Amino acid sequence: MGHGGNVIDELMTDHREVEELFGRIEALPSGAKDRKLCADQVTMELVRHSVAEEAYLYPAVREHVPGGDALADKELEDHAQAEQIMKDLEGCQADDPEFDRLVGMLMREIREHVADEEQNLFPRLRAVCPAEALDDLGDKVRRAKKTAPTRPHPAAPDQPPANKMLAPGVGMIDRMRDALTGRGKSD
C-alpha cells in the first residue's frame, strides 16, 4: 500500500486491495493453508490502513465535516470491532473450525465499513475540505502506513496524540516479528 494521490484516492485503492485479498480467501476451500496466509496479509494491510485513518483521516473529519465528531466516533467503533476480530483470528490456523467464522465476520465488518466510508464519509469530506489539504493528508497517510503496526493491538490508543507517538515503535516491533516468523509471506 502506498499509491499516491489525495487521501480519498489512497484509501479507496487500499479498499480495493483488501477486497482482492478477500476474494482470494473466498476462492480457496475451507481449511486450505493459503487461507491463513491471505488472512495474515489482509490483517497486515487493514491494521496499517486503520492506523493511518485514525491518525489523519478522522481528525480531518472532526475538523472539517459538520457532525464530524459523530462520524469519526462511529468509524473508530467499526475499527475496534474489526481489530478484535483480527486479534481473535491471529491465533487460528486455517483448519481451525473458528477460522471460517472469524474470517466471515471480518469480511462482513470491513465490507460494511468500506461502503459507509465510500458512500458517506468520503463524499462529505471531499465537499468541505480544500483539495490541497486532501493531497497533504494523502502524503501523511502514506508515511503513516510505512511505520504503522502490522498486527492488531485492540488496547492501543486510537486518537491523536497518543496513537501518533506509539504507532511507529509498535510498528517496528511488529515488522521485526513478521520478518522473523515469515508472517504474511508465501513459501
Side-chain angles (χ1 to χ4, degrees):
M1 293 189 176
H3 318 288
N6 72 37
V7 67
I8 295 169
D9 295 338
E10 177 75 17
L11 296 173
M12 287 181 66
T13 300
D14 289 353
H15 292 167
R16 301 294 84 73
E17 289 178 358
V18 166
E19 185 57 40
E20 183 181 316
L21 288 167
F22 284 163
R24 286 190 210 162
I25 293 170
E26 291 172 324
L28 292 165
S30 182
K33 188 180 98 179
D34 283 350
R35 284 171 64 91
K36 175 65 173 171
L37 172 67
C38 289
D40 286 345
Q41 290 171 337
V42 83
T43 295
M44 294 165 86
E45 299 304 330
L46 284 170
V47 169
R48 285 193 287 248
H49 177 90
S50 296
V51 166
E53 284 186 335
E54 291 166 6
Y56 296 104
L57 177 68
Y58 301 147
V61 168
R62 289 179 192 284
E63 179 183 344
H64 296 285
V65 177
D69 285 336
L71 273 174
D73 289 345
K74 187 217 179 286
E75 301 301 329
L76 289 170
E77 286 175 29
D78 289 352
H79 281 201
Q81 290 173 321
E83 193 161 16
Q84 187 57 58
I85 296 167
M86 288 184 281
K87 187 69 178 171
D88 295 343
L89 188 58
E90 195 175 38
C92 289
Q93 294 304 313
D95 58 357
D96 184 322
E98 202 52 7
F99 183 88
D100 288 344
R101 186 183 74 79
L102 289 168
V103 164
M105 285 175 57
L106 181 64
M107 286 189 221
R108 278 188 303 280
E109 183 72 31
I110 296 303
R111 285 171 172 155
E112 288 173 13
H113 177 76
V114 164
D116 182 51
E117 279 189 343
E118 292 185 2
Q119 295 165 15
N120 183 28
L121 187 139
F122 291 169
R124 291 174 71 179
L125 181 64
R126 192 184 305 271
V128 297
C129 194
E132 58 276 0
L134 293 175
D135 290 342
D136 183 51
L137 285 169
D139 292 338
K140 288 177 178 176
V141 161
R142 279 184 288 285
R143 283 195 301 274
K145 288 190 294 185
K146 289 178 184 174
T147 60
T150 60
R151 294 170 182 259
H153 299 278
D158 59 9
Q159 294 188 47
N163 64 346
K164 289 182 184 180
M165 293 185 318
L166 294 175
V170 174
M172 183 178 69
I173 293 166
D174 284 356
R175 284 187 301 285
M176 287 172 42
R177 286 179 62 200
D178 294 343
L180 290 169
T181 62
R183 178 176 175 260
K185 304 255 188 280
S186 50
D187 296 331

